[in-house]
């Protein structure tokens, strides 16, 4: 099994550019989420989804959009990149909502200049 | 008060030592508890779930004290390969569909020294 696949692994953006981070899972998990990880801050939830067609905001949603058109895919879109969005982004999926193991993708290291 | 608090470390211990990590959480409604391990520049991976009665997996023992809202992880006979950051993770336990979210501590860094 591929598990959770994130692309790209690395990205450099200029301020104001937009881009989409891709996330796909092949485990038929209903629950998917996006986190960002910054030094000294731990992982913070950006957006999450409990199933196709359903998304909700996490702790730090500003500047990001998500959609969930299929069970497998949960892309994260940066609308207008800012230096404050420089971070490592992780996508995760789990069978249940918060009570079962979360599987993470390998992460996307994003730098906004 | 942060929802999940951990001592950031670093903990530098010699091989073979026993080391303990502590974690406190603020939401008394939390229902599920985990320890994740994160290697440098890698994704977090589940180390073990934490059950009310305490549980053990080889050299690793996890304990939960709901009354004190406290979680611990004990590593015995430390190996070089145990060097990583250990994340305390709590399910927020809010009611309503879709409101069960994982809250991560900032992590405790462990370095096991030869």
């Amino acid at each position: 099994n591929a598990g959770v696949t994130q692309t790209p692994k690395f990205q450099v953006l200029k301020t104001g550019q937009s881009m989409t981070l891709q996330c796909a899972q092949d485990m038929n998990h209903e629950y998917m989420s996006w986190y960002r990880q910054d030094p000294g801050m731990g992982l913070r939830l950006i957006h999450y989804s409990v199933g196709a067609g359903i998304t909700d905001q996490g702790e730090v949603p500003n500047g990001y959009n998500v959609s969930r058109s299929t069970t497998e895919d949960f892309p994260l879109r940066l609308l207008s990149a800012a230096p404050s969005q420089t971070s490592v982004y992780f996508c995760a999926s789990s069978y249940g909502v918060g009570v079962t193991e979360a599987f993470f993708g390998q992460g996307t290291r994003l730098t906004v200049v | 008060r942060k929802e999940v608090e951990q001592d950031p470390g670093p903990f530098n211990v010699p091989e073979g030592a026993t080391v303990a990590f502590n974690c406190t959480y603020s939401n008394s409604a939390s229902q599920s508890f985990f320890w994740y391990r994160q290697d440098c520049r890698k994704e977090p991976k589940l180390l073990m779930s934490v059950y009310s009665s305490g549980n053990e997996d080889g050299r690793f023992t996890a304990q939960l004290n709901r009354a004190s809202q406290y979680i611990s992880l004990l590593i015995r006979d430390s190996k070089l390969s145990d060097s990583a950051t250990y994340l305390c993770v709590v399910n927020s336990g809010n009611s309503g569909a879709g409101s069960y979210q994982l809250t991560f501590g900032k992590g405790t860094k462990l370095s096991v020294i030869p």
Side-chain angles (χ1 to χ4, degrees):
Chain A
N1 275 348
V4 180
T5 303
Q6 279 184 243
T7 56
K9 288 188 170 54
F10 301 93
Q11 183 70 49
V12 179
L13 287 179
K14 294 182 179 179
T15 298
Q17 286 184 313
S18 63
M19 79 160 294
T20 299
L21 307 185
Q22 302 292 343
C23 176
Q25 51 92 9
D26 62 359
M27 297 174 283
N28 201 32
H29 286 167
E30 289 296 322
Y31 187 82
M32 297 186 73
S33 51
W34 277 101
Y35 294 87
R36 61 177 288 174
Q37 187 173 35
D38 303 293
M41 296 294 294
L43 281 98
R44 292 182 292 169
L45 183 65
I46 304 171
H47 285 284
Y48 66 98
S49 169
V50 299
I54 306 169
T55 63
D56 206 346
Q57 297 181 349
E59 180 185 356
V60 288
N62 292 341
Y64 308 94
N65 274 353
V66 291
S67 59
R68 185 93 180 270
S69 57
T70 66
T71 298
E72 294 77 20
D73 300 298
F74 190 44
L76 177 73
R77 183 166 178 81
L78 278 69
L79 308 172
S80 177
S84 61
Q85 293 179 304
T86 294
S87 188
V88 180
Y89 292 84
F90 288 103
C91 177
S93 76
S94 61
Y95 179 74
V97 185
V99 296
T100 61
E101 178 179 0
F103 294 84
F104 285 82
Q106 292 182 321
T108 297
R109 296 183 179 278
L110 175 68
T111 301
V112 182
V113 298
Chain B
R1 180 183 173 185
K2 291 289 185 182
E3 290 194 47
V4 179
E5 291 200 60
Q6 296 181 250
D7 183 339
F11 283 58
N12 299 317
V13 303
E15 272 187 289
T18 296
V19 61
F21 303 138
N22 302 319
C23 169
T24 58
Y25 61 95
S26 60
N27 187 346
S28 59
S30 298
Q31 298 189 7
S32 303
F33 310 90
F34 309 91
W35 283 101
Y36 277 70
R37 170 192 170 129
Q38 186 173 25
D39 293 300
C40 187
R41 302 179 74 83
K42 298 286 189 179
E43 73 273 22
K45 293 184 178 179
L46 179 68
L47 176 67
M48 59 196 302
S49 301
V50 186
Y51 303 116
S52 296
S53 55
N55 49 298
E56 187 174 307
D57 183 2
R59 299 181 293 108
F60 299 84
T61 301
Q63 298 278 353
L64 168 65
N65 184 323
R66 286 187 184 270
S68 302
Q69 295 178 205
Y70 171 93
I71 306 161
S72 65
L73 176 68
L74 184 76
I75 306 176
R76 293 181 299 278
D77 189 22
S78 298
K79 312 290 185 191
L80 295 176
S81 58
D82 294 333
S83 297
T85 296
Y86 292 83
L87 307 175
C88 178
V89 184
V90 175
N91 156 239
S92 64
N94 294 323
S95 61
S99 296
Y100 285 75
Q101 300 175 17
L102 296 179
T103 301
F104 287 77
K106 294 181 182 180
T108 299
K109 186 172 182 180
L110 172 67
S111 293
V112 181
I113 304 164

